[in-house]
Amino acid sequence: MKLTVVGCSGSFPSADSACSSYLVEADGFRLLLDMGNGALGELQRHIGLYDLDAIFLSHLHADHCIDMCAYFVARYYRHEGGRCAPIPVYGPEGTEQRLTTAYADTPSASSMSEVFDFHTVKPASFDIGPFSVRTEKMCHPVEAYAIRIEHAGKSLTYSGDTGPCSALDELAAGTDFFLCEAAFTHGKENIPDLHLNGREAGESARQAGAGRLLLTHIPPWTDPQANLADARAVYEGPTALAAPGATYEI
């Protein structure tokens, strides 16, 4: 598998990065994990606008899904070549309604489903293209899911947004690559069931026995180097900060 960080800023785009969006590729299949603010523009640095094969939305906060409204425009109103066929979109219950409401002026109540083939995510195991995936519900104010993706004997686990929870540790158990949020700063924010800090992300990686940890979803007001140091203090495996445009072979 190949992972490309399209955007990794938390809460809102930074001067250097769009919000959460990660491209996973294998066997010519392209799966996008989240499409937050600014992600659609950045995505076009890596692949063509119509080259995606499926989209997974971890939850329906704007910094993880709002550019789906712009992508609707690109797919629905495409004149050259005609309207795009529906692309599979996996998201929490109510995803279609949330995106329709956010767009606010779709031609009809069912227009989103004309270009997006919506599938409701629950805790489950299923396939997306060549990938075997498993999803688990996380601890967040809205319904939110982490996803484990396996292909050719390798695994990638993406936390989405979550506070500390055993479900994440179990989902990431033995994973080769752990893409984990670290929005909070250890010793500063302490809001239950919202986000992880760098130390908690490191502890989750250690508990899971993950092979590698990549910290992401760090907001512009948070010092990423502090979070990186906090993660490294409790997790001995390779640990780094996500950066837009970075690629990894898994």
Side-chain angles (χ1 to χ4, degrees):
M1 291 183 286
K2 178 183 177 183
L3 169 67
T4 301
V5 178
V6 178
C8 54
S9 185
S11 299
F12 58 93
S14 71
D16 301 312
S17 178
C19 283
S20 292
S21 191
Y22 313 92
L23 180 64
V24 183
E25 301 174 79
D27 295 348
F29 191 94
R30 290 162 169 161
L31 169 64
L32 192 70
L33 309 178
D34 286 339
M35 193 185 285
N37 318 43
L40 185 60
E42 290 300 311
L43 180 64
Q44 294 171 76
R45 297 180 184 272
H46 307 288
I47 63 171
L49 191 59
Y50 305 107
D51 290 341
L52 282 177
D53 295 294
I55 300 167
F56 170 84
L57 301 177
S58 64
H59 64 293
L60 300 178
H61 280 154
D63 59 328
H64 291 258
C65 74
I66 199 60
D67 266 28
M68 289 291 290
C69 292
Y71 199 41
F72 166 77
V73 173
R75 297 186 70 87
Y76 190 90
Y77 293 105
R78 186 180 72 161
H79 295 290
E80 183 179 351
R83 184 176 297 167
C84 294
I87 181 176
V89 175
Y90 300 83
E93 189 166 356
T95 295
E96 179 179 2
Q97 293 78 8
R98 179 59 179 264
L99 295 179
T100 300
T101 299
Y103 189 88
D105 193 28
T106 54
S108 75
S110 61
S111 293
M112 283 280 174
S113 62
E114 293 181 42
V115 292
F116 298 138
D117 178 18
F118 291 101
H119 300 260
T120 299
V121 173
K122 295 293 182 183
S125 297
F126 53 99
D127 293 336
I128 302 178
F131 303 114
S132 298
V133 308
R134 179 181 158 200
T135 51
E136 291 290 349
K137 192 174 181 181
M138 296 290 102
C139 296
H140 204 53
V142 300
E143 188 175 4
Y145 291 89
I147 185 170
R148 181 183 179 117
I149 302 169
E150 298 186 354
H151 177 74
K154 297 295 184 180
S155 62
L156 160 67
T157 302
Y158 169 49
S159 67
D161 279 10
T162 184
C165 66
S166 60
L168 177 60
D169 301 343
E170 293 167 6
L171 185 67
T175 195
D176 295 290
F177 197 104
F178 192 17
L179 178 61
C180 188
E181 76 119 286
F184 283 166
T185 303
H186 177 60
K188 180 181 177 184
E189 300 102 339
N190 185 23
I191 304 172
D193 298 337
L194 185 57
H195 289 298
L196 300 171
N197 59 44
R199 185 180 181 87
E200 289 166 337
E203 289 172 341
S204 184
R206 183 187 64 196
Q207 179 69 25
R212 183 172 188 175
L213 174 63
L214 188 68
L215 301 178
T216 193
H217 196 271
I218 299 177
W221 57 60
T222 297
D223 179 0
Q225 293 301 324
N227 284 19
L228 179 61
D230 287 342
R232 286 175 171 170
V234 294
Y235 170 67
E236 295 181 353
T239 308
L241 298 168
T247 61
Y248 304 87
E249 296 293 332
I250 302 169

